[in-house]
Amino acid sequence: MSDFEHVFDTPPPGAAADWTIDQNWDAYTQVEHDTWDTLYARQMAILPGRASDAFLNGLNALDLNTGGIPDFAVMNPKLKALTGWTVHCVPGLVPDDVFFDHLANRRFVSGQFIRKPDQLDYIQEPDIFHDVFGHVPMLTDPDFADYMQAYGKGGQRAASLGLLPQLARLYWYTVEFGLAQSPQGLRIYGAGIVSSATESVFALDDPSPNRIGFDMERVMRTLYRIDDFQQVYFVIDSIEQLKWDTLQDFGPIYDRLRGSEDLPVDVVLPQDRVLTHGTQTYAARGGRFAA
Ligand code: PHE
Ligand code: FE
């Protein structure tokens, strides 16, 4: 989910200066561990053949299915050995500059709590299942690992230029809701999709959303939905390509973005590389609020 909104301005009581808190793994209840296992099993019944190899291999490498919520003290050494990243708990959404500073130092931040058993399908704030199951496997991919670190540095720059809303769209349409080409067809790599049973199917199979070839400037102009399935997904050729695309200096892009209008979620432009021209039927019927 969005990591760009925040509630507090200073670390709440009990949090360190960098906003991290102890995972306090011993305090999780059996119900909470069972919730992890339920969500994990549910996603694994859906994701083979849908999620990208990078995601599935990462999940395997981290061994996140040993029973219950992963203990970061066990997970972090494995992740660190692979790409130098580590994961740390925070008490909720953190300020942008704090988030970017963690990324720029190869630290990913995660919610500590897990959703309640009656909220398996939809939560507003990212919990540990979204953050760890959804995001952390991709951090084992060397190119994605580099991309995320570069994003942290790029975030600091965009913030200083007043262009964070634009850069946040890049995060949204890649890290959270990205699709990728593969020799076997489209695959999911975005954390917001792989951690959702319903969107894991919708994003690939539903005729409603547009699916459009990734274009940096196009993505940074496109608004997004935080409350329902996306109306457009952008498709990268590969993680490696995404990494190289984002290594370019965004200065010229930022100059153009300052003078251009935001694009609505359902627009299709003449220059778009259209993979699916969606019907938008799902959204037109009212989405998840449909009767
Ligand atoms: N290359 C970008 C810039 O010049 C930085 C960046 C890298 C942003 C990776 C996002 C992702 O600002
Ligand atoms: Fe997220």
Side-chain angles (χ1 to χ4, degrees), residues 146-155 157-158 161 167 170 216 220 242-243 245-251 254:
D146 290 348
Y147 169 62
M148 286 290 274
Q149 178 180 21
Y151 188 92
K153 295 196 189 128
R157 178 185 185 192
L161 295 171
L167 190 72
L170 174 63
M216 190 74 66
M220 286 199 232
L242 174 66
K243 172 184 158 174
D245 274 2
T246 49
L247 280 181
Q248 66 176 303
D249 174 15
F250 284 5
Y254 286 152

Side-chain angles (χ1 to χ4, degrees), residues 184-240:
Q184 291 78 37
L186 288 191
R187 292 290 183 268
I188 305 161
Y189 72 94
I193 311 177
V194 290
S195 61
S196 161
T198 46
E199 196 152 0
S200 291
V201 175
F202 179 89
L204 291 182
D205 296 356
D206 202 279
S208 293
N210 298 324
R211 298 180 185 87
I212 296 175
F214 181 86
D215 176 89
M216 190 74 66
E217 215 163 314
R218 161 69 153 104
V219 166
M220 286 199 232
R221 290 178 62 194
T222 309
L223 299 170
Y224 57 80
R225 301 198 59 149
I226 61 165
D227 58 336
D228 209 331
F229 297 152
Q230 300 306 301
Q231 289 180 245
V232 57
Y233 298 92
F234 291 97
V235 182
I236 59 170
D237 291 331
S238 67
I239 305 284
E240 204 183 356

Side-chain angles (χ1 to χ4, degrees), residues 1-3 93 99 108-109 126-127 130-132 134-135 171-172 175-177 190-192 195:
M1 301 294 115
S2 171
D3 296 295
L93 296 169
F99 180 62
F108 193 73
V109 293
D127 71 342
H130 168 79
D131 284 328
V132 173
H135 284 281
Y171 190 94
W172 190 264
V175 178
E176 295 291 355
F177 292 97
S195 61

Side-chain angles (χ1 to χ4, degrees), residues 244-262:
W244 292 115
D245 274 2
T246 49
L247 280 181
Q248 66 176 303
D249 174 15
F250 284 5
I253 294 181
Y254 286 152
D255 287 341
R256 290 192 292 272
L257 286 175
R258 264 186 267 268
S260 60
E261 302 234 333
D262 293 344

Side-chain angles (χ1 to χ4, degrees), residues 120-137:
L120 291 192
D121 289 312
Y122 188 80
I123 43 159
Q124 209 127 18
E125 281 217 16
D127 71 342
I128 196 167
F129 185 76
H130 168 79
D131 284 328
V132 173
F133 182 93
H135 284 281
V136 178

